[in-house]
Amino acid sequence: MEYRKLGDTDLELSAITYGSFAIGGTMWGGTEENEAQNAIRVSIDLGVTTIDTAPFYGLGFSEELIGRTIKNMDRSKVQILTKFGMVWDGSNEGKGDFMWDQEDNGKIYPLYKYASKANVIKETEESLKRLGTDYIDLLQLHWPDSTTPIDETMEALQRLIEQGKIRAAGVSNYNKDQMLEAQKTIRLASNQLPYSMLNRQIEKDIVPSAIENNIGIIAYSPLERGLLSGKYFKGEHLKSDDHRNGYFGQFDLEKVKAFLNKIEPLAQDKNATLAQLVLRWATLQPGITVVLAGARNSEQAISNAQSMDINLTQDELLFINKELEILS
């Protein structure tokens, strides 16, 4: 495994970082707890020492599951990244930006983006409790909240750093201007953003600005929630309540399939799967610090970790990027 410094911090994160959205179960057709815990343990054993989560993932369940899994581990050997600012428990009293009504286990929860100072402090305490730890390595604002001034949110994060409850502060889904505005109040460690072979929008201005300002980029959805693994073109089916039934509809699936067919021989030459090749490509792109990869079982966890064993030459990267023109 390769470890990378996150922005202007002393955090060293594994280039492949464990993404825990799916193990929360909500929007993913449920989860199998024992398999998820095994996936986390195997990931750590193979050097994937960084775990990214959020209260919203399973409405608290993902954080609780991670907390139980790492309970008896050396906390200094595991980096915990979590978030705040997606509120479903009504504590925001209708304040913030309404997102949608989230269904979970037959109940409907109105979901809001909310990042007031008081909410930042409240959510942090809740996450610390669920995770069973006394500090969070990186705390990130999950989504921009247009109703709260950026400096108010960042001042709250700075206070948490000074209290030792978090080691570093980041944002997620911020555009360039929002990112630079936050920098006026706090030293941002990172911006977590969607990035994949099918979605390279951040290369235009966010990545260059992040490089210039020494802000790390944490890439999420590098496999487009499994689509770029190719398995859904080979007969694998999704559960009816899996959000990917709709999510995949945004892509030209015939073009995606044609592209994967073009690069699959390269993966085979490397004794790798398509998913591993796609992950490794993402880790090698300019400005990308770490790449999130979810795993719901040990097999997926092993595959993700071993993607870092792939050696890609500049010519091979050029070949992949040329074939990506099919998708543009």
Side-chain angles (χ1 to χ4, degrees):
M1 184 53 60
E2 182 179 322
Y3 299 91
R4 299 176 177 178
K5 188 173 182 289
L6 185 67
D8 188 24
T9 74
D10 60 359
L11 290 177
E12 295 278 343
L13 309 185
S14 52
I16 296 294
T17 288
Y18 183 90
S20 67
F21 187 7
I23 66 169
T26 302
M27 298 173 62
W28 292 83
T31 193
E32 207 297 306
E33 185 169 344
N34 289 334
E35 288 195 1
Q37 287 189 299
N38 286 336
I40 295 169
R41 294 187 185 103
V42 167
S43 296
I44 293 171
D45 288 344
L46 293 175
V48 178
T49 58
T50 309
I51 302 172
D52 179 85
T53 186
F56 172 66
Y57 302 163
L59 307 188
F61 182 71
S62 176
E63 286 187 327
E64 291 173 356
L65 184 59
I66 290 165
R68 291 198 295 272
T69 307
I70 68 169
K71 184 176 181 180
N72 296 316
M73 297 182 185
D74 183 344
R75 180 65 179 81
S76 67
K77 304 295 184 184
V78 181
Q79 302 84 47
I80 300 298
L81 285 46
T82 194
K83 307 178 188 77
F84 67 92
M86 289 180 73
V87 181
W88 70 87
D89 63 1
S91 61
N92 59 312
E93 299 178 334
K95 299 174 184 176
D97 291 323
F98 178 72
M99 299 183 77
W100 63 76
D101 286 321
Q102 178 61 52
E103 189 276 332
D104 186 69
N105 291 323
K107 295 183 179 180
I108 301 295
Y109 300 87
L111 187 66
Y112 287 83
K113 294 181 286 188
Y114 188 50
S116 72
K117 181 178 181 179
N119 187 63
V120 177
I121 304 302
K122 170 185 175 292
E123 285 202 59
T124 301
E125 295 298 334
E126 292 170 345
S127 287
L128 288 168
K129 183 177 180 180
R130 283 190 291 257
L131 290 162
T133 185
D134 57 3
Y135 72 94
I136 293 162
D137 293 278
L138 177 70
L139 183 63
Q140 308 156 92
L141 171 60
H142 206 149
W143 283 94
D145 164 25
S146 69
T147 71
T148 303
I150 289 175
D151 61 352
E152 177 182 335
T153 304
M154 297 304 130
E155 285 169 4
L157 288 169
Q158 184 61 44
R159 177 181 172 186
L160 290 167
I161 291 174
E162 292 166 359
Q163 293 174 338
K165 293 183 178 180
I166 68 174
R167 293 178 64 191
V171 293
S172 183
N173 301 299
Y174 258 29
N175 62 32
K176 175 187 173 182
D177 291 342
Q178 291 166 330
M179 186 173 72
L180 295 180
E181 181 66 26
Q183 274 284 86
K184 296 177 181 178
T185 305
I186 198 170
R187 190 72 179 109
L188 273 188
S190 57
N191 192 357
Q192 183 174 145
L193 297 153
Y195 181 71
S196 75
M197 290 176 170
L198 305 182
N199 180 7
R200 303 173 67 180
Q201 292 298 310
I202 66 171
E203 294 178 353
K204 294 178 180 179
D205 61 353
I206 298 179
V207 168
S209 181
I211 292 172
E212 181 180 353
N213 289 277
N214 197 16
I215 299 171
I217 294 290
I218 299 174
Y220 73 80
S221 293
L223 288 169
E224 289 297 353
R225 311 192 185 190
L227 181 63
L228 289 173
S229 71
K231 59 186 178 182
Y232 300 104
F233 297 111
K234 298 177 180 178
E236 183 152 331
H237 298 288
L238 299 170
K239 292 183 179 180
S240 61
D241 57 347
D242 193 313
H243 75 288
R244 290 174 292 178
N245 287 298
Y247 182 84
F248 291 164
Q250 68 184 290
F251 304 111
D252 186 327
L253 296 180
E254 286 303 312
K255 284 188 175 181
V256 174
K257 182 178 180 180
F259 165 70
L260 294 177
N261 287 339
K262 286 280 191 177
I263 67 168
E264 188 163 24
L266 176 59
Q268 293 171 345
D269 287 345
K270 302 289 182 180
N271 293 315
T273 64
L274 271 172
Q276 289 173 322
L277 179 64
V278 170
L279 286 176
R280 187 61 174 135
W281 173 90
T283 68
L284 293 169
Q285 300 312 298
I288 303 300
T289 310
V290 300
V291 173
L292 301 188
R296 304 182 76 170
N297 54 54
S298 297
E299 181 181 1
Q300 292 174 349
I302 293 168
S303 174
N304 292 343
Q306 290 179 344
S307 66
M308 289 300 294
D309 296 334
I310 300 172
N311 180 36
L312 289 174
T313 67
Q314 284 301 310
D315 285 345
E316 288 166 340
L317 288 169
L318 286 171
F319 162 74
I320 293 172
N321 288 340
K322 185 175 186 301
E323 294 301 330
L324 277 173
E325 294 175 6
I326 295 173
L327 302 174
S328 60

